[in-house]
Amino acid sequence: MSTDALVHPDEIRLMFSSAMSDLYRSEVPQYGTLMELVSEINQSKLEAETELADSLAHNSELERIDLERHGAIRLGKPEELFNMRRLFAVMGMHPVGYYDLSVAGVPVHSTAFRPIDEEALKRNPFRVFTSLLRLELIEDEDLRSQAEGILAQRDIFTADAIKLIYLAEKNGGLTRTQAEQFVAEALETFRWHSDATVTLETYQKLHDAHRLIADVVCFKGPHINHLTPRTLDIDAVQQNMPKRGITPKAIVEGPPARSCPILLRQTSFKALEERVNFIGGRRDETVGTHTARFGEIEQRGIALTAEGRKLYDTLLAATRHAVQINAGGSNARDYEAELAERFRAFPDDYETLRVEKLAFFRYSPTKAGLNAAKKEDLAGSINALVDQGYLRADPIIYEDFLPVSAAGIFQSNLGSDEQKNYSEQSNQKVFEDSLGAPVGDELDLYAGLEQDSLNTALEALGIRKNVA
Ligand code: OOG
Ligand code: NI
């Protein structure tokens, strides 16, 4: 086979994310309503804030906004995670980050599969938050071995999907026909199946142990449980959701509203109670319901350095320590007030974030800088070059997730808005053994992007020496 017949992984990802969106729209009608709302609000935000529109355009983010979304799945056994890594690699998505959600009483640990290089992110930053159930955290031994036994029976990938993954690995990619087939086969793994693999009684036992365990163990595959569009104004969307018949969770997870958004703010809503057919038993005992799928929106802000992240974690922990949201979410406003107050300690202008090295920036030469470089030898520190208007700095967008927020999303969709704080039981090594590869370090990726942009910018300004 000639290699020029191979389709670029970015293109397979585009095909897949669009097929996934169509699938989810048909399975969860509220997703369509949400997409409309988000798109309307993004449009009016861009019209109202030309500076934001300009910065997004400069970062080539404008085109990706409407395409942008993430999904989430939950896997049951190590080999599922191993093959999922291979499947996502075919579409240029690689594991980045390790998230320990046991801190919130959710017995899973996770990574995010996403494109990593700049060009790939620009084309389509589709990500999938992927969790692996940690059966070792189930205390009841009988239940644990029962769950293991059920999971041992299932195979979540179609035979043709596995064949095409092998082909892609062997040939370094897929032809167009193979790619189309691959997308169709891969989609099967993420589809909702209304037929459970267990009896209603078993489902209920597992459900009583933890709703999440029932969700992972009792079905044929890891149904995609949400697909999240990116909004430019999460507060406006949250406010307008009820008008379209959607009820969001009590609080927006993550940092408070700010002039310079940092990291990630997210909110979710319960979407569907689905009818499930269970196996065996008398006829009237075989039908039940399960809530698997939900909706979510997110607003992304600038990626933080290790130092910025430390400050974020400290302020968030202090807020959560001071006000814990109760199960009904009735004290949500107290929490929001506390959060806003605590985060006054986090600088809220890009210049300070940059100079204090709290966040990552993409540098580019300005026209004035390029003109000046033609006439004289430029020198000086990066800050001086920025002050002179020769270098421009734009925020690098955070492409990852936040464990505390993710846990809040899990909790809320497992039926409660109550915030829980547990001690950490992270086990990245075990996770990576199952995955069959190390997870990427997101901070290294952002630092690399920043440095590359700086090198290119300085070179364009005729400055070759390292400047501090
Ligand atoms: C994943 C929840 C986490 C996010 O955006 O933080 C998540 C799940 O419920 O499976 O999607
Ligand atoms: Ni999500």
Side-chain angles (χ1 to χ4, degrees):
M1 190 194 315
S2 73
T3 46
D4 61 7
L6 300 180
V7 180
H8 197 282
D10 290 351
E11 196 162 337
I12 306 181
R13 183 172 67 260
L14 268 163
M15 288 158 64
F16 182 75
S17 86
S18 142
M20 189 84 118
S21 190
D22 292 345
L23 172 81
Y24 205 62
R25 202 186 295 262
S26 73
E27 289 182 347
V28 182
Q30 275 184 322
Y31 171 69
T33 313
L34 185 70
M35 289 298 282
E36 277 167 29
L37 177 61
V38 166
S39 160
E40 282 166 31
I41 286 176
N42 284 355
Q43 209 48 50
S44 50
K45 180 88 175 173
L46 286 171
E47 278 158 22
E49 294 186 23
T50 47
E51 219 174 284
L52 174 71
D54 173 55
S55 174
L56 289 171
H58 189 77
N59 281 344
S60 311
E61 277 183 67
L62 219 43
E63 311 85 54
R64 70 175 231 192
I65 290 279
D66 280 336
L67 282 178
E68 183 155 355
R69 53 187 81 91
H70 82 252
I73 51 170
R74 302 156 181 178
L75 304 173
K77 46 184 181 177
E79 61 264 44
E80 292 176 355
L81 182 64
F82 183 86
N83 283 329
M84 199 53 88
R85 172 181 56 77
R86 299 172 60 215
L87 179 137
F88 282 131
V90 175
M91 33 187 148
M93 295 162 74
H94 307 282
V96 177
Y98 172 77
Y99 304 93
D100 170 26
L101 300 193
S102 69
V103 290
V106 181
V108 302
H109 44 186
S110 322
T111 190
F113 289 96
R114 67 163 176 91
I116 46 185
D117 67 62
E118 198 155 36
E119 278 313 305
L121 283 165
K122 267 187 211 165
R123 286 208 69 190
N124 183 341
F126 184 56
R127 327 168 174 83
V128 177
F129 191 90
T130 303
S131 302
L132 177 64
L133 183 62
R134 297 176 72 182
L135 284 175
E136 78 273 15
L137 298 183
I138 302 184
E139 273 165 26
D140 181 336
E141 257 175 55
D142 287 345
L143 197 64
R144 193 190 319 149
S145 62
Q146 191 181 8
E148 261 160 7
I150 298 166
L151 285 169
Q153 313 266 328
R154 80 175 187 185
D155 191 352
I156 62 171
F157 301 98
T158 68
D160 283 342
I162 295 290
K163 258 191 236 157
L164 287 158
I165 292 171
Y166 272 119
L167 260 186
E169 288 171 345
K170 193 170 104 211
N171 299 334
L174 298 176
T175 64
R176 179 153 303 276
T177 315
Q178 289 166 345
E180 280 164 8
Q181 228 181 344
F182 170 79
V183 167
E185 294 295 333
L187 215 56
E188 289 306 307
T189 297
F190 299 88
R191 191 184 286 290
W192 168 252
H193 297 279
S194 52
D195 292 330
T197 55
V198 299
T199 63
L200 181 56
E201 192 194 350
T202 304
Y203 171 84
Q204 263 154 2
K205 237 167 57 187
L206 291 165
H207 190 276
D208 289 347
H210 202 300
R211 274 179 55 148
L212 180 88
I213 299 171
D215 182 55
V216 177
V217 174
C218 303
F219 297 91
K220 287 182 189 154
H223 34 257
I224 180 100
N225 64 38
H226 64 286
L227 218 46
T228 302
R230 174 174 165 196
T231 170
L232 298 172
D233 189 346
I234 198 167
D235 297 301
V237 180
Q238 170 107 345
Q239 235 172 12
N240 281 282
M241 274 155 77
K243 289 182 208 151
R244 313 247 173 151
I246 303 175
T247 315
K249 72 194 279 294
I251 58 149
V252 172
E253 296 287 348
R258 297 162 45 91
S259 325
C260 304
I262 51 172
L263 299 172
L264 175 65
R265 300 181 71 213
Q266 300 174 302
T267 183
S268 66
F269 60 89
K270 291 176 191 114
L272 275 187
E273 178 158 297
E274 350 222 4
R275 209 181 121 100
V276 177
N277 305 311
F278 293 94
I279 59 168
R282 290 205 315 271
R283 199 181 170 73
D284 59 346
E285 283 175 352
T286 58
V287 174
T289 61
H290 178 69
T291 42
R293 275 96 61 78
F294 58 94
E296 184 189 45
I297 42 167
E298 66 187 12
Q299 181 173 355
R300 290 187 172 264
I302 192 166
L304 299 184
T305 59
E307 204 178 326
R309 180 55 188 268
K310 211 165 93 198
L311 181 57
Y312 170 80
D313 286 338
T314 307
L315 298 175
L316 184 71
T319 308
R320 291 169 59 88
H321 188 74
V323 183
Q324 278 196 31
I325 310 245
N326 56 34
S330 64
N331 59 344
R333 299 292 87 79
D334 297 344
Y335 176 85
E336 278 168 2
E338 185 75 27
L339 185 72
E341 184 54 35
R342 300 264 173 186
F343 270 80
R344 285 162 60 136
F346 209 118
D348 196 11
D349 65 278
Y350 286 126
E351 196 45 23
T352 312
L353 291 175
R354 194 182 65 77
V355 172
E356 293 188 4
K357 294 196 177 349
L358 292 169
F360 290 110
F361 289 83
R362 177 179 287 106
Y363 290 93
S364 55
T366 62
K367 272 209 187 87
L370 294 172
N371 284 337
K374 281 184 206 145
K375 293 183 205 128
E376 54 177 309
D377 282 343
L378 299 183
S381 69
I382 292 175
N383 289 349
L385 291 165
V386 171
D387 289 345
Q388 287 165 305
Y390 292 168
L391 257 189
R392 168 176 175 153
D394 286 278
I396 291 182
I397 287 297
Y398 189 60
E399 306 285 354
D400 294 285
F401 294 86
L402 296 168
V404 175
S405 299
I409 301 284
F410 260 103
Q411 281 303 344
S412 148
N413 293 294
L414 294 171
S416 164
D417 271 315
E418 187 178 13
Q419 288 182 341
K420 287 187 179 163
N421 302 303
Y422 287 80
S423 64
E424 208 170 288
Q425 301 190 53
S426 70
N427 206 336
Q428 184 166 342
K429 171 82 178 61
V430 169
F431 186 84
E432 290 178 334
D433 284 349
S434 308
L435 184 68
V439 298
D441 180 329
E442 67 267 29
L443 288 181
D444 286 351
L445 293 174
Y446 297 121
L449 283 181
E450 181 177 273
Q451 194 57 51
D452 287 351
S453 74
L454 198 53
N455 293 346
T456 312
L458 292 179
E459 191 165 345
L461 294 176
I463 305 172
R464 272 158 219 281
K465 270 195 281 191
N466 274 339
V467 285

